[in-house]
Amino acid sequence: MSGLPEAFASRVVRWQKTHGRHALPWQATRDPYRVWLSEVMLQQTQVSTVLAYYERFLARWPEVAALAAAPEDEVLGLWSGLGYYSRARNLHRCAQAVVERFGGEFPRSAAQLATLPGIGRSTAAAIASFCFGERVAILDGNVKRVLTRVLGYGVDLASAPAERALWDLATELLPRQDLQDTMPAYTQGLMDLGATLCLPRKPACLLCPVEADCVGAREGEPTRYPVKTRKLRRTAESLWLLHARKPDGAVWLEKRPATGIWAGLYCLPVYASRELLAGEHAHATLEDGEAFVHALTHKDLHLHPVHVATDRVARAGGGWFGRTEWEVLGLPAPVRRLLVDAG
DNA sequence: CATGCGTGGGC
DNA sequence: TGCCCAAGCAT
């Protein structure tokens, strides 16, 4: 391998220390609780979105035992709006597992971390490398882009063998010396390269510390990587939302089932058709609100609010919530928006 | 191995 | 504007 690995790693480390990001609120610590909290929030979520949520969580639960002792509904309430809500429920379960299985201290190896709920291979490696200097590779979206370009790795990562091979290559490229110092900077450096220079559409190769190593740059078309042949197939679905309000302004909400969309959140009653909704409220005067589209990654949800003024909803498992009550619940973003707009 | 799972931002 | 993308994981 012509000595590429060592040169590559030290270039990334040196660049991170001088040109990488150092001011993010979860970077000034090796406390695994804070690093874990940030890593889970950052899964498929951009830094700018996470910042406010991270500060609120840390202020509310300064350590893992406090989070473990919280009610799940309160965790979902603070997570509300961040998306991918299974992360919040796994976060809570993980905190409880750290307390119960590990006496309140996060385990110090990536292998042990990966046994905890919501911590997969990449998140485990991020925590272990940042906090404990372990020599383990992360492979998130940013790093996949950086490494496939540097290596000229032209196999579609949708195939599992291709992704396994890239994990192996990522491991070979890791630093080999002075790991307590180099591993945190290397891990952060790959993320920073992907987030600030090695961009999806317009990579800034002239500023890149590993341009000399980069097959994609040498070929003249780094944006060819990563290769993606599979096309995203979008679908659409219509849902009707019963917006029942009492004269005092309270709203009828139900906790959603533990699986599927918005699992565990509080929500207006959801129906697959106008007829199903109307059939359940034959005696009430229904007023159709303005439908709107809520876009998910794979699906457009066409949401149809149906307003009804009543103080009786004949459904099991829900309840009336006044504004100060529903404001702090975990609500789907479009439902929160609808309730806020309705006053 | 493929799919489901949120939301917001960039171009 | 319709895509693509974002510090992925669980099933």
Side-chain angles (χ1 to χ4, degrees), chain A residues 171-191:
Chain A
T171 303
E172 288 179 28
L173 290 172
L174 292 168
R176 296 180 180 279
Q177 298 179 354
D178 199 9
L179 299 181
Q180 289 298 324
D181 173 66
T182 57
M183 275 309 303
Y186 178 81
T187 299
Q188 187 65 53
L190 283 186
M191 292 175 169

Side-chain angles (χ1 to χ4, degrees), chain A residues 60-338:
Chain A
R60 180 69 187 85
W61 299 296
E63 50 157 305
V64 67
L67 176 56
E72 181 186 279
D73 277 351
E74 192 180 354
V75 178
L76 286 168
L78 260 72
W79 196 275
S80 187
L82 198 50
Y84 283 148
Y85 297 97
S86 67
R87 290 185 296 170
R89 292 179 298 124
N90 282 332
L91 187 86
H92 190 224
R93 291 191 198 113
C94 181
Q96 294 175 332
V98 167
V99 169
E100 291 165 14
R101 289 171 49 196
F102 298 100
E105 298 287 332
F106 278 84
R108 300 173 63 86
S109 73
Q112 289 267 285
L113 287 162
T115 68
L116 291 162
I119 301 184
R121 180 169 178 181
S122 195
T123 299
I127 300 168
S129 62
F130 282 138
C131 300
F132 309 119
E134 184 176 344
R135 188 176 178 278
V136 278
I138 61 167
L139 197 60
D140 55 37
N142 281 325
V143 177
K144 283 176 182 171
R145 190 168 57 251
V146 172
L147 294 188
T148 54
R149 287 173 179 176
V150 167
L151 297 167
Y153 191 82
V155 193
D156 188 352
L157 296 181
S159 96
E163 179 155 341
R164 274 197 298 276
L166 188 59
W167 273 108
D168 292 341
L169 290 166
T171 303
E172 288 179 28
L173 290 172
L174 292 168
R176 296 180 180 279
Q177 298 179 354
D178 199 9
L179 299 181
Q180 289 298 324
D181 173 66
T182 57
M183 275 309 303
Y186 178 81
T187 299
Q188 187 65 53
L190 283 186
M191 292 175 169
D192 291 352
L193 276 179
T196 65
L197 295 184
C198 198
L199 303 174
R201 302 294 195 88
K202 287 189 189 301
C205 298
L206 290 179
L207 299 175
C208 181
V210 295
E211 192 202 2
D213 302 322
C214 183
V215 173
R218 199 173 310 145
E219 291 173 348
E221 204 181 355
T223 56
R224 186 159 86 78
Y225 308 98
V227 171
K228 290 179 184 176
T229 57
R230 171 171 162 259
K231 39 221 153 185
L232 180 65
R233 198 162 307 178
R234 290 185 57 76
T235 59
E237 183 179 355
S238 287
L239 298 174
W240 280 258
L241 303 174
L242 178 70
H243 181 209
R245 287 186 70 178
K246 289 203 297 182
D248 66 5
V251 178
W252 181 269
L253 297 173
E254 301 174 352
K255 191 171 170 69
R256 292 192 50 82
T259 59
I261 187 154
W262 302 324
L265 272 62
Y266 285 82
C267 191
L268 301 175
V270 174
Y271 300 82
S273 74
R274 176 83 167 60
E275 289 68 35
L276 286 170
L277 185 156
E280 235 184 57
H281 305 88
H283 308 300
T285 302
L286 304 179
E287 182 194 343
D288 291 276
E290 189 173 349
F292 60 99
V293 177
H294 181 69
L296 309 179
T297 301
H298 293 271
K299 181 185 292 186
D300 279 341
L301 292 181
H302 295 255
L303 300 177
H304 304 257
V306 179
H307 310 287
V308 54
T310 181
D311 56 4
R312 280 176 42 188
V313 174
R315 286 173 63 89
W320 295 102
F321 293 84
R323 179 169 188 131
T324 58
E325 295 169 321
W326 62 252
E327 271 180 340
V328 299
L329 291 179
L331 298 171
V335 172
R336 184 178 300 282
R337 202 154 49 237
L338 196 162

